[in-house]
């Protein structure tokens, strides 16, 4: 799995099932973080993919309503689905699946000023990540989303060292892919 090099697809599914389980049962200490995610994988080692899918489905159905303005298990699921699609050479998720996540992630960054006062312009959209300095990037909106979740390197999506420097550290997760 290029986006999660320490995991295979089974580990990724174990993490998703574990994250949904933890969200339902209030076991969020260390979330999100490497130890929290590793615990999901370790606790579910040896379980079948079907068992993990059942757990994920049960727990997802039991999740309380999630606030749209901050990271949620749904965000994690959408990001990791894209990881699987890329690893397996499948088409991207439909735009109506990933674009709402980009809208919410941009709003989250803008509200917390984690966007370092940036406005990011792709060839088709302008994204307010806290206002301020405009950074033009050559990537499409989907690659910007992947950048925000640490799945793209800033230089990969910008084609410019100056723009890459402005976007450095913007990702929710620090490991660029």
């Amino acid at each position: 799995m290029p986006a999660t090099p320490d995991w295979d697809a089974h580990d990724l599914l174990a993490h998703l099932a574990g994250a949904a389980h933890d969200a339902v049962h209030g076991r969020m200490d260390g979330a999100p973080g490497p130890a929290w995610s590793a615990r999901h994988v370790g606790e579910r080692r040896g379980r079948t993919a079907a068992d993990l899918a059942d757990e994920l489905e049960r727990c997802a159905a039991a999740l309380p309503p999630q606030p749209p303005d901050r990271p949620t298990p749904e965000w994690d699921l959408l990001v990791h689905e894209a990881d699987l699609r890329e690893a397996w050479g499948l088409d991207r998720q439909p735009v109506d699946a990933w674009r709402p996540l980009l809208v919410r992630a941009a709003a989250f960054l803008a509200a917390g000023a984690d966007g370092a006062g940036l406005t990011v312009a792709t060839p088709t959209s302008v994204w307010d990540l806290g206002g301020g300095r405009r950074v033009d990037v050559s990537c499409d909106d989907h690659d910007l989303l992947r950048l925000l979740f640490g799945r793209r390197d800033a230089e990969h999506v910008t084609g410019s060292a100056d723009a890459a420097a402005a976007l450095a550290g913007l990702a929710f997760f620090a490991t660029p892919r």
Side-chain angles (χ1 to χ4, degrees):
M1 300 288 309
T4 56
D6 294 335
W7 290 350
D8 59 21
H10 182 274
D11 295 339
L12 192 145
L13 184 56
H15 161 62
L16 290 172
H21 178 273
D22 284 0
V24 168
H25 297 285
R27 193 176 176 196
M28 301 303 289
D29 51 302
W36 183 69
S37 297
R39 180 175 49 76
H40 302 148
V41 174
E43 289 175 351
R44 288 162 179 79
R45 200 164 306 288
R47 292 184 47 197
T48 68
D51 288 342
L52 296 173
D54 287 345
E55 179 183 17
L56 176 57
E57 187 174 6
R58 277 192 321 276
C59 290
L63 281 171
Q66 301 292 302
D69 60 345
R70 64 184 172 98
T72 67
E74 177 192 17
W75 291 28
D76 200 32
L77 182 64
L78 288 167
V79 169
H80 287 307
E81 178 189 347
D83 294 344
L84 284 170
R85 286 173 175 269
E86 286 182 359
W88 293 341
L90 301 174
D91 290 339
R92 291 178 175 177
Q93 298 148 306
V95 69
D96 61 340
W98 63 261
R99 189 168 179 85
L101 176 57
L102 178 55
V103 169
R104 291 190 305 264
F108 177 76
L109 289 170
D114 289 323
L118 293 177
T119 299
V120 178
T122 68
T124 58
S125 305
V126 176
W127 298 95
D128 175 3
L129 305 181
R133 179 177 172 206
R134 180 182 168 123
V135 177
D136 292 307
V137 297
S138 57
C139 70
D140 64 15
D141 289 348
H142 185 266
D143 275 343
L144 177 61
L145 174 66
R146 301 295 285 158
L147 167 77
L148 293 179
F149 284 90
R151 273 40 183 193
R152 297 286 186 273
D153 177 275
E155 197 157 343
H156 166 84
V157 300
T158 64
S160 153
D162 288 340
L167 296 174
L170 188 60
F172 287 100
F173 302 100
T175 307
R177 303 279 177 242

